[in-house]
Amino acid sequence: MNNANQTPKQNGFHMPAEHEPHAAIWMAWPDRADNWRYGAKPAQEAFINVATAISKTTPVTMIVNEDQYQNARYRLPENIQVIEMSTNDSWMRDIGPSYVVNNKERMGIDWEFNSWGGLVDGLYFPWDKDDQVASKVCSILGDRSCRAPIILEGGSIHVDGEGTLYATEECLLHPSRNPHLTREGIEKTLKEYLGLEQIIWLPLGLYNDETNGHVDNILHVVKPGEVVMTWCDDETDPQYEISRKVYDALCTQKDAKGRNIIVHKLPMPGPLYITEEEAKGIDLSNGMEREPGERLAASYANYLITNDQIVFPLLDSEHDEEAKAILASLYPNHEITGVDAREILLGGGNIHCITQQIPQI
């Protein structure tokens, strides 16, 4: 019997890795005109393509604001479930539940969400609807949810399913998240709520990432003891130094099982920038930089692993095939599916950011 006064770890829960079996993938429909150009119509098409690709191997549920329900239901394939649910934007990785499991059940960890920085440097206000999504998802699925006493986004953590979590200091230690907590306090909370033994700290995330450097935009866990990360060979690019610092951090730490970490490299797309034409279609925002020439935080590491399939972003014709070949070598038993993701990137993230897996139990 689980004790309500004990932490998830004390009750035998741990967070499974993304490469473990999924019951479903949940997504959220984009419609913010100050983040997505032309009333989010191009972005909606990209989300449809991602959802359709995932649905070949894994059931997909799309949550949609009330005024977009009919549009989404009409435009999405019939096999994708559409549920009306209020959101402020569409980053399901960050607003959805991070699931933990034990040998009997699964439970959603419900992080406090403050729009990547709250009143310090958050991207929009209000964010109250987004903050309620995780508990609503759990309720619909008939799963318990557990509110964690920490501001966190799902995209700021990666786990290997064997007790190791990867995160960046840039994000988790940022003053806009949990200034009242020390690094040790954050570590303790994560270990107790996600059933962890070891935190691998990386200094920085991808250059100019408006999430304050989410780990999922620079690194992905291939399997326990093995990761893939964004690499840059241009010494004049700010990402060059960041990638080397991340690589050094990975090579000088061990995971929860005492393993040295094997590091693979993915090419950096671009660099890519918002065009004048793209910026013209976006409404003015107080929090998000959507001006012509703004550097986009583009990364092939922002892919989704789901049941026997990798769904990765097509971002740059000069590097897409190389990225696909690397992913195919890392996941020889998976179908590698590329989806044109420029429109998702324009909103500030990519395929991993807009998806959240529900583990199979």
Side-chain angles (χ1 to χ4, degrees):
M1 181 70 71
N2 291 329
N3 187 329
N5 294 321
Q6 291 183 315
T7 66
K9 185 177 185 179
Q10 290 168 332
N11 280 319
F13 284 95
H14 78 282
M15 185 173 176
E18 196 173 307
H19 55 259
E20 297 181 51
H22 298 165
I25 298 291
W26 281 55
M27 299 175 62
W29 187 254
D31 61 18
R32 267 190 97 94
D34 64 350
N35 190 32
W36 309 102
R37 68 191 186 122
Y38 300 120
K41 288 296 177 278
Q44 288 167 7
E45 197 62 37
F47 276 56
I48 290 167
N49 293 338
V50 170
T52 302
I54 295 167
S55 70
K56 292 177 185 175
T57 56
T58 309
V60 176
T61 295
M62 184 77 71
I63 64 172
V64 187
N65 277 310
E66 177 187 11
D67 59 352
Q68 279 285 316
Y69 179 85
Q70 294 293 346
N71 177 43
R73 181 62 284 173
Y74 174 74
R75 294 175 65 194
L76 284 160
E78 284 184 11
N79 67 324
I80 292 171
Q81 183 182 42
V82 180
I83 293 177
E84 185 182 310
M85 188 186 297
S86 300
T87 63
N88 300 108
D89 204 357
S90 50
W91 304 104
M92 187 55 103
R93 177 67 49 181
D94 292 345
I95 63 177
S98 296
Y99 265 89
V100 294
V101 299
N102 62 16
N103 55 13
K104 297 189 291 290
E105 65 173 321
R106 68 186 179 207
M107 177 173 69
I109 303 300
D110 172 11
W111 311 109
E112 185 178 341
F113 178 77
N114 75 346
S115 184
W116 309 276
L119 299 179
V120 177
D121 64 347
L123 299 183
Y124 51 74
F125 179 87
W127 53 77
D128 56 318
K129 294 174 184 175
D130 281 348
D131 193 33
Q132 296 170 28
V133 165
S135 62
K136 289 179 179 179
V137 170
C138 293
S139 178
I140 288 169
L141 292 172
D143 298 325
R144 287 193 298 145
S145 66
C146 175
R147 182 74 162 180
I150 189 172
I151 293 169
L152 195 95
E153 306 93 38
S156 70
I157 56 172
H158 263 314
V159 299
D160 70 353
E162 294 188 357
T164 307
L165 178 142
Y166 297 81
T168 71
E169 294 170 339
E170 179 186 359
C171 183
L172 267 58
L173 305 185
H174 198 277
S176 67
R177 298 305 199 279
N178 300 283
H180 61 291
L181 289 177
T182 63
R183 175 183 174 129
E184 290 69 32
I186 292 169
E187 282 203 6
K188 183 179 179 183
T189 302
L190 291 175
K191 286 176 178 178
E192 289 300 321
Y193 279 81
L194 297 178
L196 305 167
E197 302 299 330
Q198 177 72 16
I199 313 287
I200 303 287
W201 288 100
L202 311 178
L204 297 161
L206 204 71
Y207 175 69
N208 209 36
D209 185 341
E210 64 188 5
T211 65
N212 304 119
H214 272 190
V215 73
D216 74 345
N217 211 23
I218 194 166
L219 174 140
H220 212 309
V221 176
V222 178
K223 57 188 175 186
E226 196 166 334
V227 302
V228 63
M229 61 163 289
T230 299
W231 193 253
C232 173
D233 281 319
D234 179 1
E235 294 184 22
T236 66
D237 194 295
Q239 186 58 42
Y240 179 89
E241 202 59 44
I242 293 172
S243 290
R244 274 146 189 80
K245 287 178 179 177
V246 169
Y247 184 82
D248 289 346
L250 290 166
C251 292
T252 53
Q253 298 178 76
K254 294 181 185 292
D255 70 9
K257 301 294 185 185
R259 290 175 289 230
N260 292 321
I261 299 160
I262 299 168
V263 185
H264 303 280
K265 297 170 183 174
L266 279 167
M268 185 184 77
L272 306 177
Y273 303 88
I274 298 179
T275 67
E276 195 164 334
E277 175 62 31
E278 288 165 343
K280 271 197 299 193
I282 305 170
D283 289 359
L284 183 67
S285 165
N286 288 326
M288 296 174 281
E289 293 293 334
R290 300 291 182 264
E291 297 296 319
E294 181 72 17
R295 169 88 171 247
L296 295 163
S299 168
Y300 292 115
N302 204 302
Y303 61 86
L304 174 73
I305 312 171
T306 190
N307 301 322
D308 300 322
Q309 185 181 196
I310 303 297
V311 184
F312 84 102
L314 298 175
L315 295 167
D316 179 354
S317 58
E318 290 189 20
H319 296 294
D320 288 345
E321 285 304 315
E322 182 188 356
K324 183 175 184 177
I326 293 168
L327 292 171
S329 70
L330 295 176
Y331 300 95
N333 300 317
H334 288 60
E335 179 181 350
I336 312 297
T337 307
V339 179
D340 188 343
R342 172 84 183 187
E343 294 297 335
I344 308 171
L345 177 62
L346 289 172
N350 227 293
I351 289 171
H352 194 259
C353 306
I354 66 170
T355 53
Q356 180 60 270
Q357 71 270 10
I358 310 298
Q360 187 78 54
I361 51 164

